Amino acid sequence: MKWLDRQSFLGDDSTERLDAFTVGIVGLGGGGSHVAQQLAHIGIGHFVLVDDDVIDESNLNRLVGGTRADVEQSARKVDIAARVILAVNPHARVTRIAQRWQLATDPLKLCDAIFGGVDSVRAKDELEAFCRRLLIPYLDQGMDVHDLDGQFLIAGQVVLSVPGGPCLRCLGVVTEEALDGEGRNYGAAGGKPQVVWPNGVLASTAVGLFLQMVTPWHRTPEQGACLEYDGNTQTVRASDRMQRLRDRGCPHCPIGDVGDPSFDVRKLPARPTAPETPAPAASTPRAAWPLRVWRDLLDKVLGR
């Protein structure tokens, strides 16, 4: 039996399909490191890893693949994630970008889906807006620990955001109050409580939504989702707010506000009149599913 035989229920061509995907992961701490590991195990072929941070000792309680040796060497989080991926699949193509994601937009534009593991509300807001403009499905995950008179509540959510559906603002994940609070406390927010198992639950949920969207194993692929996690009861449920908003337009992201604002046709290289060398062998094809997703999204944008 081969490596991926036991997940053949995902589809007859699932191995080739998953190998053809390019998936971006922005933020490779507690949540993103879980996502990277799981996507490696299911056979994703190309990763774009983006994080400008290095590991420190406080990350060891949740960062998958991180070691004390990494802490001593101030290893980059993108390198730790790449090591985890390549240990599972040495043939994976891994692009590492140890910079803020805003400086990595060119490789991120080529992704078929992007997972967000960013901490700040503003980063979530900006990354989702980038993905929506370029018609890239965005999977956001986040958790928090709330102190309620000495009783601690662990809560979190996973959102699959696609153009035309409810956004993080619609769902209350991004609010003006939270954005203002971050602005007032910029540089003094301190470390938020984080533990490994909620991050693992949320990452697994996000990966499940992704597979439900891109493989034919599920009869009702999601075109947007919000799942809420209650860490005290160990339950995940669909958000009531998503159900109420699903068929309403998003007032925060104009339906026609798509396309790359930095695109300039004058920067495209001239096409040669004849090839100077023999044509290269065919490369691995892009996955087929984005064409279907893009067509549905464009139909929504154009009102067809």
Side-chain angles (χ1 to χ4, degrees), residues 279-290:
S283 59
T284 302
R286 299 276 286 189
W289 76 269

Side-chain angles (χ1 to χ4, degrees), residues 32 113 129 135 155 167 195 235 238 262 293 298:
L135 300 179
C167 71
V195 283
T235 56
S262 65
V293 175
L298 287 172

Side-chain angles (χ1 to χ4, degrees), residues 101-214:
W101 76 264
Q102 292 89 343
L103 301 177
T105 54
D106 282 346
L108 287 173
K109 290 173 186 176
L110 302 178
C111 291
D112 297 309
I114 292 176
F115 288 78
V118 293
D119 292 329
S120 77
V121 178
R122 185 165 300 281
K124 292 175 181 288
D125 190 36
E126 294 175 350
L127 184 55
E128 181 193 33
F130 168 82
C131 291
R132 285 197 167 223
R133 177 173 282 278
L134 294 172
L135 300 179
I136 300 172
Y138 172 62
L139 294 113
D140 181 81
Q141 54 192 1
M143 66 152 288
D144 207 351
V145 179
H146 306 275
D147 184 354
L148 304 176
D149 298 325
Q151 297 294 314
F152 294 94
L153 170 64
I154 300 175
Q157 75 286 323
V158 175
V159 176
L160 168 59
S161 171
V162 296
C167 71
L168 295 179
R169 287 175 177 262
C170 295
L171 296 166
V173 176
V174 173
T175 65
E176 291 300 327
E177 181 181 5
L179 291 170
D180 290 344
E182 281 188 349
R184 290 193 301 271
N185 296 308
Y186 180 76
K192 295 182 179 180
Q194 294 281 328
V195 283
V196 70
W197 76 88
N199 284 322
V201 171
L202 294 170
S204 296
T205 302
V207 170
L209 280 174
F210 169 74
L211 284 174
Q212 184 175 337
M213 178 174 58
V214 304

Side-chain angles (χ1 to χ4, degrees), residues 148-303:
L148 304 176
D149 298 325
Q151 297 294 314
F152 294 94
L153 170 64
I154 300 175
Q157 75 286 323
V158 175
V159 176
L160 168 59
S161 171
V162 296
C167 71
L168 295 179
R169 287 175 177 262
C170 295
L171 296 166
V173 176
V174 173
T175 65
E176 291 300 327
E177 181 181 5
L179 291 170
D180 290 344
E182 281 188 349
R184 290 193 301 271
N185 296 308
Y186 180 76
K192 295 182 179 180
Q194 294 281 328
V195 283
V196 70
W197 76 88
N199 284 322
V201 171
L202 294 170
S204 296
T205 302
V207 170
L209 280 174
F210 169 74
L211 284 174
Q212 184 175 337
M213 178 174 58
V214 304
T215 63
W217 72 275
H218 201 284
R219 293 184 178 180
T220 55
E222 293 288 356
Q223 294 293 321
C226 179
L227 302 176
E228 298 172 340
Y229 170 63
D230 182 338
N232 290 46
T233 61
Q234 306 297 333
T235 56
V236 177
R237 68 180 185 88
S239 168
D240 294 336
R241 181 172 295 187
M242 172 59 86
Q243 300 305 319
R244 294 195 302 269
L245 297 175
R246 186 179 296 277
D247 296 325
R248 301 182 185 180
C250 172
H252 309 102
C253 306
I255 197 67
D257 194 11
V258 296
D260 182 358
S262 65
F263 175 77
D264 187 342
V265 70
R266 293 169 298 180
K267 296 181 180 179
L268 292 177
R271 178 179 295 179
T273 57
E276 298 179 1
T277 58
S283 59
T284 302
R286 299 276 286 189
W289 76 269
L291 299 178
R292 184 180 69 252
V293 175
W294 291 177
R295 191 179 301 113
D296 293 343
L297 293 176
L298 287 172
D299 284 346
K300 290 182 179 179
V301 170
L302 299 175

